[in-house]
Amino acid sequence: QETADDLEAYGEVSIAFTADSRFRVEWLERGIGGVRLIEEPLEAPRLIDFDADKGVGPVRWHRFGDIGHWGFFAAYVEGRRAGGATVSYDTPGYGMLEGRTDLANLTDIRVDPKLRHQGVGAALFRHAVTWLQASAECRRLKIETQNTNPRACRFYAAQGARLGGIQPLDESPDEFELDLFWYLELG
């Protein structure tokens, strides 16, 4: 576990990834029958880097308000920072928490690109969930990803999370890019 004082070093691990496919959402029976996520290739791969693209890297998280109820975790492999995970709860004004005190959010998870797909992310995720269960009175964990990151969607599903919401991104009115919200029961 780390503190907010470690966020500069935390942010040195890249969150960037190359999107080469996306999930297209197919509404079944106008949504009554659920949804189907259909993976389709992108015409051209796109580099997505939330720290650079949206300017919301870890050192800027203080702009969300008091981050005193945030948990910061780091993973190390052979003494080298391999990744990090951040969870938040009970942060008034932080929209991802929907004004609720029983909801937590996986605010960030990142793994060094050279170490991805080796279990580092799963270990960070499990540790963050265990910490929340011991430290907070939250019933659910909310996780945001996008349909342009099918690998992350599969990762969260493999961790036991369920898709619970779909929303167009503000800057993508054509529904090419959608926010997908996953939920994990903590109880």
Side-chain angles (χ1 to χ4, degrees):
Q1 185 167 347
E2 296 188 316
T3 69
D5 294 335
D6 300 302
L7 289 178
E8 187 172 338
Y10 177 107
E12 290 173 3
V13 173
S14 176
I15 198 168
F17 66 96
T18 299
D20 53 12
S21 65
R22 74 171 189 134
F23 280 133
R24 179 174 47 84
V25 176
E26 180 180 306
W27 297 95
L28 306 175
E29 300 175 40
R30 296 189 175 122
I32 292 175
V35 298
R36 180 180 297 139
L37 299 178
I38 301 166
E39 190 168 4
E40 55 189 24
L42 296 179
E43 287 182 27
R46 295 178 9 185
L47 179 67
I48 297 176
D49 183 350
F50 296 114
D51 288 349
D53 298 343
K54 299 184 184 223
V56 292
V59 296
R60 294 185 185 96
W61 289 343
H62 291 282
R63 74 185 179 106
F64 295 124
D66 180 5
I67 60 175
H69 288 135
W70 290 34
F72 307 101
F73 311 102
Y76 290 84
V77 173
E78 297 177 0
R80 193 172 132 246
R81 185 180 289 270
T86 299
V87 291
S88 55
Y89 71 97
D90 195 16
T91 305
Y94 182 44
M96 290 300 293
L97 296 174
E98 304 169 17
R100 297 171 51 181
T101 58
D102 64 339
L103 181 66
N105 176 242
L106 179 67
T107 307
D108 185 85
I109 190 165
R110 57 186 63 216
V111 175
D112 182 308
K114 296 175 192 146
L115 298 171
R116 291 178 184 167
H117 313 292
Q118 296 181 31
V120 175
L124 282 163
F125 187 89
R126 283 191 305 272
H127 185 78
V129 167
T130 300
W131 181 83
L132 277 170
Q133 290 169 326
S135 305
E137 294 184 15
C138 297
R139 295 185 1 235
R140 298 176 99 192
L141 175 64
K142 179 180 182 180
I143 307 156
E144 174 191 10
T145 192
Q146 288 70 38
N147 64 323
T148 52
N149 196 348
R151 287 180 196 94
C153 295
R154 286 189 186 91
F155 172 79
Y156 296 128
Q159 305 312 308
R162 298 180 65 128
L163 181 62
I166 300 171
Q167 171 180 311
L169 286 171
D170 293 337
E171 62 270 12
S172 184
D174 62 356
E175 292 193 12
F176 174 80
E177 197 168 14
L178 303 167
D179 277 330
L180 302 179
F181 297 100
W182 300 84
Y183 293 89
L184 180 73
E185 299 302 320
L186 296 173

